[in-house]
Amino acid sequence: MAIEAAGQGGSPAAIKDAPVETSLADLASPAATPAGGSAAAVMGGIGAALVAMVCHLTIGRKKYAAVEAELSAVLVAADALRLRMVAAIEEDVAAFGTVMAAYALPRETEAQIASRGAAIQAALRLATEAPLACARLCAEAIELAATVSAKGNATVISDGGVAVLAAHAALRSAALNVAVNLKAIEDRAFAAAARAEMETLLAAGAARAEATYLLVKTQLD
Amino acid sequence: MAIEAAGQGGSPAAIKDAPVETSLADLASPAATPAGGSAAAVMGGIGAALVAMVCHLTIGRKKYAAVEAELSAVLVAADALRLRMVAAIEEDVAAFGTVMAAYALPRETEAQIASRGAAIQAALRLATEAPLACARLCAEAIELAATVSAKGNATVISDGGVAVLAAHAALRSAALNVAVNLKAIEDRAFAAAARAEMETLLAAGAARAEATYLLVKTQLD
């Protein structure tokens, strides 16, 4: 979300520790955080979690012995990814707090105005890097979800499909949060690089996610 | 998820009350629930929650006086929808529990086999109706997200975009859960009706969600 509309932010620690029902109520509130950036990380976390579940339900089954080593590696990666997504929820909230704090700096003297401007720009870069980092994690989650959907236990293929849908929605959500912060960034080289990386992640993610979703849906229809 | 791979299910009450971090760990576990059906409802809840947030940050602003009445109605609908999504998490888990219980019925005598078969079919209908009901809620969430993205406070348009992405991923996820349960349903008329409704929801939802996402992305680029 952009600054102009922001209410008060929540505490970073509160979000990952809050019950799901309460978290959704927090998300619905007028408070500045949690908002779309945190929601992206939660959806990415859902994707990573379901990848792990499919791995658990594939590993150790005779029928899937041929993919056991590969899915064991996917499981390790998915578990790590889930924890990084949880951290990304907090990073999003913290970055937003930094932006809010920068905007709140005094602006009475010329020196204050200059130093506030610099602080805002630095904070906006942080607030761009947080969803960009989340987007990279989402791209990884899409890859893992594609693997488990293609090779995992066929009886839980719908969960592989949900994993890829969640990870892809998370990637596109993170992209929107990158874009909203880039709008106010004055460093054009930084903005161009971030935009280019985001577009690459989006294009690759969309192709992989749609192919995987179709694979899953075809198997279920 | 399908029955064959299922481990033990979680308790319905535990999920909505568990912290986000713990819920993601539960989702990652080999337990049968929570799985993709619950994940769909959570994503739908994220969509509804962000719609409400955009409403809160639009209502009462002079610049948006013209849409205040409409967005006040959207807010009421979004808050109700969020609570129904939380209920849908529990309904998914409960329906799956019913299916598990039916499969666990004794099958020693012919009478037992027949009565177990009937119980399984009844349970599978429940387990189809739960994600179908969730899909209907997701379709509503997409509509609300489309409205707030087009008419809500422009400074939080990225949150409207995340709302529509979450609701659409939830709709498609619910569809996968409908499909997986339909596979084992013997009542062809029931299955055909459920499939037809799902396809209608999917087609309408995809068109509305993609148009809204493009609207948001264009405004941010």
Side-chain angles (χ1 to χ4, degrees), chain A residues 1-9 30-33 96 100, chain B residues 57 61:
Chain A
M1 67 157 25
I3 304 308
E4 294 82 347
Q8 273 201 295
T33 51
F96 192 81
M100 297 286 282
Chain B
L57 296 170
R61 314 248 164 165

Side-chain angles (χ1 to χ4, degrees), chain A residues 48-65:
Chain A
L50 286 171
V51 166
M53 191 190 85
V54 176
C55 290
H56 280 300
L57 296 171
T58 305
I59 294 164
R61 314 248 164 165
K62 218 170 164 181
K63 192 176 167 189
Y64 296 96

